[in-house]
Amino acid sequence: MLKLHRVTKIFNPGGPDERVALRQVSLEVPQGQVVTIIGSNGAGKSTLLNVIAGVYSIEEGAIFLKGQDISSWPEYRRAAFIGRVFQDPTRGTAASMTVEENLALAMRRGKRRALRWGITPEERRYFKEQLAQLGLGLEDRIRDKVGLLSGGQRQALAVLMATLTKPKLLLLDEHTAALDPRTAKVVMELTQRVISQHQLTALMVTHNMDQALRYGHRTLMMHEGRIILDISDPLRSQLKVSHLLEMFEQASRNSLEDRILLTSPG
Amino acid sequence: MNIWLGALEQGFLFGAMVLGIYLTFRVLNYPDLTIDGSFTLGAAVAAKAILMGYDPWWGLAMAFICGAMAGLVTGLLHTQLKVTPLLSGILTMIGLYSVNLRIMGQANVSLLRRETIFTGIKGFIPDPWGTLLLAVLLFAAVFLAVYLFLCTELGMALRATGDNEQMIRSLGVNTDYTKLVGLALGNGLIAFSGSLVGQYQGFADIGMGIGMIVAGLASIIIGETLVGTQTLIRAMASAIIGSLIYRSIISLVLQLGLSPTDLKLFTSLMVVAALALPLVRNRLGFSPLRGAGDVKVTPRNQNF
Ligand SMILES: Nc1ncnc2c1ncn2[C@@H]1O[C@H](COP(=O)(O)OP(=O)(O)OP(=O)(O)O)[C@@H](O)[C@H]1O
Ligand SMILES: [Mg+2]
C-alpha cells in the first residue's frame, strides 16, 4: 500500500541552519493497517507525514503508493489519494465558507474542478446525513460559515472532509491535541469509526502513549529522524506505557551518548 | 441633479473594476497591484480598436482579454518565478505603462466624434437615462456572471484558495492554477471597466489608471462597512454599493470646491481613515474587542 524506501529529508541543505529531519527512513504499511506514531518534539513525525503528502520534496529515497512511485508528484496530485487532518482545526477547513461548501470542496477531491455547479441537491442531502452521524447538530447548520463553529466542531468536520471520498491513505497529525479532553474524545471516536467503516489505511501521530498503544494495529516510535521502534499486534498488545517510556528514555540516552562520543576529541 | 446622475453612472461603470479588486484582494487574498496598469490597458485597447474602425462592443471584449492576459503575467511571475505577490503586480503594472503607450501611440487618445457604445445607446434612449441604463445593465451582467462563477466548482476552489491555501491543496487543487484564474478574471474585469470609462469620458489617457487601487479599496471598505460580508452575495453587493457611494462622495467634494488635483490625496486619506477607525475605537475603549488580545482591523487578514 504505502512504502517508503530510505527517505531522507534535509531542511536548508548546505546552509548554516541545516537540519536533517528524516534519516533514511524505510517503512512499509499494508492495506488497511492503522499505524500510530509517537516520539519527542522534533523527532520528525510531522515531517514524515508532510513528506508522504508531498508538502516537502525529499533529498534521497523514494515513496510508493499502491506500487506507484509518487516521489516527484506535487502535493495536489497526491491529495487525490491522501486525506489529511492537521493539529490546528483552522488549517483543515475554510472559515469564510459554509459547512456545505467545505464538504462540497472535499467531495471533489482529486477531480478536475470545472464550471459545473459547486453543490448539487443530492450532495446536500448526503452531507446532512453524514453530518447527522457526527451527533454535533451540524446538519442544521450547513449554511453557517465554518468560522462560526467551535474548534471541536471544526475538527470533526475536518475528519469528515478528509474521509468523505474514502482516500487510499489517511494522515492524522495530532489531530486531537488542540481540543479539550471531552471534545478530543468525541473526535477520536469519530476518527475510529470512519477508519473502521471504510477500512482505511492510516498513519496517526499522537503525543499520548496510551492512545498510541490503544488505537490501530502497529506503533512506531521516532527519534531524531529515525524509526527506533516498530511493534505490531499481537506483540504490541502486551506492551505497557511504562515499557514504552523506558524504551524512549533508553533511545534518548543512546543518542545523547552517540553525540558525546562524536563530539569528544579523541 | 446632474452631478448625482454622473456619480451614479460612474459608480456602475467603475463597478466592474471594484468587483475585479474584490476578486483579487478579497476572494483570492492576493494584494494585486496590476490594477493601475490593467485599467489603463482596457481603455487603451478599446480606444485603439475604435480608432481602427472596430465595433466599440468588440473593444470591450478585447479589453477584457488583454486585461486577463496582464493578470496572467502577474500570476505567472508569482507562481512560476516565486516573485512575491506585491512585487509581481508592481512589475506588471510598470511594464504595462510602456505597453499602454505603445498601444495608444501617444499619452492621450481622443474618441471625439467616434462611435462608442454610449453614442449607440443614445440613439435609442436619449440621455439623461440612456447612459445610466447601459451602465446598469452592463454591471448587472458582470455581477451575475461573477456570482455564478463563484458558485461553480472552480469558483469555489478559487474562494478556498484565498481562504486556506494549505487546506484546498490537501483536497487536490493546484493552487497555482486557481490563482492564475483569479488574477486573470480580476484584471479582465478591471480592464473591461477601463474600456467602459474610456468610452464614457471620450478619451483614453496614460495616467487614468493611477490610484485605481486606492479608489477601488475605498469603495470596497465603504461598502463592507455598510453592507457587510456575511454572505457571498452581500460581500459582492458591498462592492457596488461602495462604488456608488465613493463616486458620490467624490462628486460632492468636487462640488464643494476641492481641486481635482487634490482628489488622489483625498482618496488616500479616506482609506487611511477607514482603516484607522477600528484601531482608534479600540484605543479609546469603545470596542467590545478591547482587552481581547490583538487588534483586528478588518474581518480577514488583509494585505493593505
Ligand atoms: N519547514 C521547516 N523548515 C526547517 N526546519 C524544519 C521545518 N519543519 C520541521 N523542521 C525541523 O525538522 C525537525 C523535525 O520536525 P517535525 O515537525 O517533523 O517534528 P515532530 O516530530 O512533528 O515534532 P512535534 O512533536 O513537536 O510536532 C525539527 O528539528 C524541526 O525544527
Ligand atoms: Mg509535529
Side-chain angles (χ1 to χ4, degrees):
Chain A
M1 178 64 212
L2 172 72
K3 187 176 159 200
L4 275 74
H5 180 71
R6 292 172 161 268
V7 168
T8 297
K9 173 68 208 168
I10 307 170
F11 287 109
N12 313 311
D17 43 4
E18 178 179 291
R19 177 97 217 168
V20 185
L22 295 177
R23 298 166 196 271
Q24 305 228 332
V25 172
S26 292
L27 174 67
E28 228 170 302
V29 182
Q31 170 90 47
Q33 190 174 60
V34 176
V35 182
T36 60
I37 304 174
I38 51 173
S40 51
N41 292 109
K45 307 178 295 292
S46 298
T47 306
L48 179 69
L49 297 202
N50 281 326
V51 151
I52 295 169
V55 179
Y56 306 133
S57 58
I58 52 179
E59 271 65 38
E60 274 172 44
I63 302 170
F64 301 88
L65 194 64
K66 287 228 161 160
Q68 200 165 19
D69 187 349
I70 59 167
S71 314
S72 61
W73 290 20
E75 180 187 359
Y76 71 87
R77 196 169 158 208
R78 297 188 203 187
F81 310 104
I82 301 177
R84 298 194 74 185
V85 184
F86 307 100
Q87 177 174 348
D88 179 355
T90 61
R91 281 178 63 197
T93 45
S96 70
M97 299 176 76
T98 63
V99 172
E100 60 174 12
E101 283 172 339
N102 272 274
L103 286 166
L105 289 169
M107 196 75 188
R108 286 157 182 76
R109 173 189 294 283
K111 299 217 183 78
R112 213 175 67 84
R113 321 259 164 165
L115 290 177
R116 280 186 299 265
W117 209 240
I119 312 175
T120 63
E122 306 94 82
E123 280 177 339
R124 197 165 277 140
R125 271 193 296 278
Y126 178 66
F127 295 159
K128 279 198 171 185
E129 226 176 84
Q130 294 291 313
L131 287 167
Q133 282 184 23
L134 301 184
L136 295 171
L138 286 179
E139 65 275 16
D140 299 323
R141 302 185 62 182
I142 59 170
R143 300 264 165 113
D144 278 6
K145 285 192 179 177
V146 167
L148 300 173
L149 305 183
S150 72
Q153 288 171 327
R154 276 182 88 159
Q155 200 66 330
L157 181 63
V159 172
L160 185 57
M161 285 168 64
T163 54
L164 201 60
T165 55
K166 306 179 186 60
K168 290 197 167 84
L169 180 65
L170 180 64
L171 302 177
L172 307 163
D173 193 353
E174 299 189 52
H175 72 302
T176 60
L179 309 174
D180 66 76
R182 208 181 56 82
T183 323
K185 196 158 159 273
V186 173
V187 172
M188 202 55 220
E189 276 165 9
L190 163 70
T191 310
Q192 248 195 319
R193 199 165 67 228
V194 288
I195 287 179
S196 61
Q197 197 177 5
H198 305 315
Q199 301 185 335
L200 299 175
T201 312
L203 300 185
M204 180 175 93
V205 174
T206 171
H207 258 133
N208 182 330
M209 298 212 182
D210 176 52
Q211 217 175 42
L213 291 180
R214 206 146 32 85
Y215 293 107
H217 315 107
R218 178 180 177 189
T219 297
L220 305 179
M221 188 191 284
M222 289 190 69
H223 188 69
E224 301 196 328
R226 286 196 185 87
I227 295 173
I228 55 166
L229 175 78
D230 180 351
I231 186 162
S232 303
D233 286 338
L235 214 65
R236 188 185 74 141
S237 49
Q238 291 152 24
L239 210 63
K240 300 250 162 37
V241 169
S242 54
H243 293 137
L244 218 51
L245 271 172
E246 223 166 86
M247 283 186 226
F248 192 61
E249 266 158 29
Q250 179 73 35
S252 318
R253 215 171 313 123
N254 276 350
S255 66
L256 203 64
E257 276 162 19
D258 285 351
R259 219 170 326 168
I260 290 164
L261 279 177
L262 282 172
T263 50
S264 60
Chain B
M1 176 62 209
N2 229 347
I3 71 150
W4 298 116
L5 185 69
L8 216 53
E9 290 167 354
Q10 288 172 28
F12 281 107
L13 293 173
F14 282 101
M17 184 268 295
V18 181
L19 270 188
I21 296 184
Y22 167 75
L23 269 182
T24 51
F25 271 75
R26 288 295 200 241
V27 175
L28 207 53
N29 205 11
Y30 192 103
D32 174 33
L33 300 189
T34 317
I35 301 155
D36 285 14
S38 51
F39 186 82
T40 314
L41 176 68
V45 167
K48 184 73 181 179
I50 289 170
L51 289 182
M52 285 169 72
Y54 286 98
D55 189 292
W57 290 93
W58 264 117
L60 297 187
M62 285 187 228
F64 179 85
I65 292 167
C66 291
M69 292 200 302
L72 273 186
V73 171
T74 300
L76 288 170
L77 285 175
H78 172 62
T79 57
Q80 304 307 307
L81 302 182
K82 309 294 170 211
V83 179
T84 60
L86 277 174
L87 188 58
S88 67
I90 291 174
L91 289 170
T92 313
M93 173 185 68
I94 296 298
L96 279 175
Y97 190 85
S98 301
V99 174
N100 292 337
L101 272 175
R102 282 262 173 201
I103 294 172
M104 297 198 291
Q106 62 212 56
N108 188 299
V109 176
S110 170
L111 294 174
L112 209 66
R113 282 186 291 280
R114 295 280 177 170
E115 188 73 12
T116 69
I117 58 167
F118 296 104
T119 61
I121 186 96
K122 280 175 204 165
F124 299 104
I125 308 162
D127 271 347
W129 302 114
T131 305
L132 180 62
L133 185 70
L134 186 58
V136 171
L137 286 178
L138 281 169
F139 178 79
V142 167
F143 188 90
L144 189 68
V146 171
Y147 177 73
L148 290 178
F149 170 73
L150 288 177
C151 291
T152 63
E153 294 175 348
L154 182 59
M156 271 169 50
L158 201 146
R159 284 157 65 198
T161 304
D163 184 300
N164 190 341
E165 198 175 333
Q166 161 85 66
M167 166 259 190
I168 192 65
R169 229 188 285 127
S170 81
L171 292 177
V173 169
N174 182 355
T175 50
D176 284 355
Y177 174 65
T178 48
K179 283 181 190 173
L180 287 175
V181 171
L183 287 168
L185 196 58
N187 282 288
L189 288 178
I190 289 158
F192 176 81
S193 176
S195 74
L196 290 178
V197 171
Q199 297 192 46
Y200 172 80
Q201 61 188 18
F203 62 87
D205 185 89
I206 189 67
M208 69 189 279
I210 296 174
M212 268 314 136
I213 297 169
V214 182
L217 288 179
S219 305
I220 288 178
I221 295 170
I222 294 170
E224 285 179 347
T225 314
L226 295 177
V227 184
T229 57
Q230 284 84 338
T231 61
L232 180 61
I233 202 92
R234 268 178 96 151
M236 283 182 63
S238 46
I240 182 59
I241 303 283
S243 177
L244 291 169
I245 292 174
Y246 172 76
R247 293 295 152 190
S248 304
I249 294 175
I250 295 299
S251 297
L252 186 68
V253 294
L254 286 176
Q255 193 73 7
L256 292 177
L258 187 82
S259 154
T261 48
D262 291 336
L263 259 189
K264 302 237 186 281
L265 178 62
F266 177 79
T267 303
S268 279
L269 290 176
M270 228 161 92
V271 173
V272 170
L275 290 176
L277 198 63
L279 278 174
V280 173
R281 256 204 313 236
N282 244 0
R283 295 257 163 80
L284 297 179
F286 295 142
S287 166
L289 266 179
R290 188 164 166 242
D294 60 348
V295 172
K296 257 189 161 174
V297 178
T298 41
R300 260 167 64 192
N301 60 319
Q302 296 305 334
N303 297 297
F304 52 84

